[in-house]
Amino acid sequence: MTAYESAKQEYRESGIDVEAALKVLAGIPVSVHCWQGDDVIGFDGADALSGGIQTTGNYPGRARNFEELKADIREAFSLMPGKKRLNLHASYAVLGADRGKVDRDGYTYRYFEPWVEFAKELGLDGIDFNPTFFGHPKMKDGLSLSSPDEETRRFWVEHGRRCMEIAAELGKAFGKPCLVNIWIPDGYKDVPADRLGPRLRLKKSLDEILEGYDGKWVIPAVESKVFGIGLESYTVGSNEFYQNYAAQKGICCLLDNGHYHPLEYVSDKIPALLAFYDKVALHVTRGVRWDSDHVVLLEDELKEIAKEIVRNDATEKVLIGLDYFDASINRISAWVTGQRAMQKALLYALLMPHEAMRKLQDEANFTELMVLGEEVKTLPFGAVWKEYLGRQGLSETYLPEIRKYENKVCKER
Ligand code: RNT
Ligand code: ZN
């Protein structure tokens, strides 16, 4: 008997159908962020990251343009199991000869068509999209949609509107709606003199961006945050602000698990929102002491997040996206490791006896619930994971391949 066969049997004895789990896992799309490949720089901005977020490290071989980023994505994606989408920021527009002539308030779908072609070539499930309200000279005093300067605010509203149109085309291109996530860094380093004014301006800007978007192909989302570097005292787009805004407008909240106080858990927020919303979007990341965006690893909170998705039958309601950027290690290995960790967490959650555990909870049999919870932790998960990879022509070992690519391609940069 193979290790997989014997694992399957052991799971069966615990009431778990491994084949069914593998099938579900293969159908859950994970949106992989393009920005791990180039330290969130993009092709069109200030050539440096700003907006309260930061990549640290100077590992050699960063992708510097469309061709290099495409090559790295091709390499990374070839080592990632499961169904994948590509998450693009507007700053990755392929401007060609229009570079320097057109600004973010003039972007059209045309500049993203090369990405569509590429995503189709890779057989991806679709593209998700993000207006880029950072890393650009038009940010005035660090503010975008909440700027008191009307010209600045209008520029960024126009950017948002263009992105909604681009997203509709991206949705149509794949026959599936495109998630458009709005995150802005706007905030203040020190105690503000006005907390309401910026929020009212942001509200007005969002209303303008969301005027007449194509609801068939676009799923708009808003991403809150507790603070950014250099913006420690106040964030315009806070959790309460966006959750109320999303509820009122019938749009989606995006939860980034690096954007809350350290003892607030996104795994607990998912079911809270599922009670009210049809869809919840995620930025899965790993914060170390702060919103540091370390590579996602198979840790407890990631497992809890996956459990909430799986046991609430929410694999189509929770839109999973990754958001991390580490510039201190091989960027492709960062990409692959994080995406695989997400897949592992989902598989782990799919291999749990949720119905039995729920019943024990409802019967207040907390003793048995605790014991069973501990028992399932040592079931032969690894053998099932290996089988999942094997069926897609992948193995657990991926670093040698990445090293080969690094020596051949990245070292030449
Ligand atoms: C920043 C947010 C945001 C960005 C990306 C690049 O704190 O998490 O989602 O990381 O849009
Ligand atoms: Zn995020």
Side-chain angles (χ1 to χ4, degrees):
M1 209 193 301
T2 64
Y4 173 65
E5 287 301 326
S6 110
K8 204 155 92 171
Q9 195 172 316
E10 232 183 285
Y11 274 106
R12 194 181 307 123
E13 282 156 19
S14 298
I16 297 155
D17 181 345
V18 170
E19 284 296 337
L22 290 179
K23 208 168 146 214
V24 175
L25 180 60
I28 304 176
V30 172
S31 196
V32 181
H33 55 314
C34 74
W35 53 90
Q36 163 57 48
D38 76 330
D39 308 344
V40 212
I41 304 284
F43 309 147
D44 76 334
D47 287 331
L49 188 53
S50 66
I53 53 176
Q54 200 163 47
T55 47
T56 53
N58 52 3
Y59 197 87
R62 181 182 87 81
R64 295 159 302 179
N65 52 49
F66 182 47
E67 291 309 318
E68 291 180 357
L69 190 57
K70 265 199 305 186
D72 290 1
I73 290 175
R74 187 178 281 118
E75 172 70 10
F77 278 42
S78 76
L79 298 167
M80 295 174 184
K83 195 184 251 192
K84 294 168 287 289
R85 298 173 62 83
L86 179 63
N87 202 0
L88 275 188
H89 247 285
S91 53
Y92 293 82
V94 185
L95 298 172
D98 287 351
R99 203 186 145 94
K101 288 189 211 144
V102 59
D103 210 341
R104 286 185 192 168
D105 59 343
Y107 285 2
T108 58
Y109 177 59
R110 183 152 82 85
Y111 302 121
F112 298 91
E113 273 179 322
W115 279 113
V116 171
E117 200 182 303
F118 176 64
K120 289 201 167 162
E121 183 197 315
L122 295 189
L124 303 184
D125 181 57
I127 293 183
D128 294 308
F129 201 56
N130 307 260
T132 313
F133 299 105
F134 56 84
H136 192 277
K138 285 263 165 64
M139 303 283 300
K140 193 161 186 283
D141 307 318
L143 303 174
S144 62
L145 295 178
S146 75
S147 175
D149 177 66
E150 189 55 16
E151 198 188 316
T152 301
R153 197 187 68 81
R154 286 237 54 89
F155 174 86
W156 289 109
V157 165
E158 198 46 40
H159 175 57
R161 292 182 62 85
R162 296 276 73 76
C163 287
M164 298 301 277
E165 287 176 16
I166 294 163
E169 296 307 311
L170 292 170
K172 284 179 209 161
F174 293 89
K176 285 184 189 154
C178 168
L179 178 75
V180 180
N181 177 50
I182 296 177
W183 171 73
I184 61 166
D186 301 28
Y188 290 106
K189 183 181 174 74
D190 222 325
V191 188
D194 177 13
R195 288 188 161 92
L196 179 58
R199 291 194 171 128
L200 292 177
R201 288 192 290 272
L202 172 56
K203 186 167 172 238
K204 181 171 167 216
S205 299
L206 293 172
D207 286 349
E208 289 166 8
I209 291 173
L210 294 171
E211 243 166 52
Y213 71 91
D214 188 344
K216 182 166 182 220
W217 298 112
V218 178
I219 303 172
V222 281
E223 179 183 12
S224 73
K225 189 165 180 173
V226 64
F227 83 98
I229 313 177
L231 306 161
E232 290 85 357
S233 298
Y234 170 78
T235 296
V236 184
S238 62
N239 181 53
E240 293 74 11
F241 175 87
Y242 278 137
Q243 233 170 65
N244 283 288
Y245 186 83
Q248 205 178 64
K249 294 289 273 197
I251 63 165
C252 187
C253 288
L254 184 142
L255 313 177
D256 180 313
N257 60 307
H259 289 193
Y260 298 89
H261 290 283
L263 288 176
E264 271 186 274
Y265 293 109
V266 160
S267 54
D268 189 59
K269 295 177 190 295
I270 293 170
L273 292 190
L274 283 175
F276 296 94
Y277 292 84
D278 176 47
K279 288 211 166 7
V280 178
L282 300 183
H283 268 181
V284 179
T285 187
R286 181 168 57 103
V288 177
R289 305 197 188 281
W290 66 288
D291 179 32
S292 63
D293 286 296
H294 278 65
V295 176
V296 170
L297 302 177
L298 186 61
E299 293 192 326
D300 286 350
E301 172 58 1
L302 185 68
K303 288 184 194 160
E304 281 311 302
I305 288 174
K307 281 188 222 170
E308 291 303 331
I309 298 171
V310 164
R311 68 186 170 200
N312 296 317
D313 276 334
T315 55
E316 284 172 20
K317 292 182 175 176
V318 178
L319 309 173
I320 307 170
L322 305 175
D323 180 16
Y324 52 82
F325 24 93
D326 192 336
S328 74
I329 53 177
N330 178 295
R331 291 173 186 78
I332 294 165
S333 83
W335 245 327
V336 177
T337 303
Q339 191 270 356
R340 284 187 176 215
M342 186 71 238
Q343 290 266 306
K344 280 185 204 165
L346 288 166
L347 179 60
Y348 188 85
L350 284 161
L351 294 173
M352 286 183 69
H354 295 298
E355 276 323 308
M357 293 177 84
R358 199 190 318 264
K359 193 159 167 278
L360 291 172
Q361 175 175 314
D362 290 347
E363 289 165 352
N365 191 344
F366 303 118
T367 309
E368 206 175 319
L369 178 59
M370 176 184 75
V371 172
L372 176 60
E374 282 302 285
E375 267 174 26
V376 296
K377 286 184 186 167
T378 50
L379 287 173
F381 170 77
V384 183
W385 171 245
K386 262 191 196 153
E387 174 73 13
Y388 176 67
L389 291 173
R391 289 184 188 182
Q392 298 174 62
L394 297 168
S395 81
E396 259 183 322
T397 315
Y398 54 88
L399 194 53
E401 163 55 34
I402 293 176
R403 287 286 188 223
K404 231 167 59 194
Y405 178 84
E406 176 173 39
N407 286 328
K408 212 175 105 199
V409 180
C410 305
K411 288 240 164 93
E412 299 302 312
R413 292 176 184 162

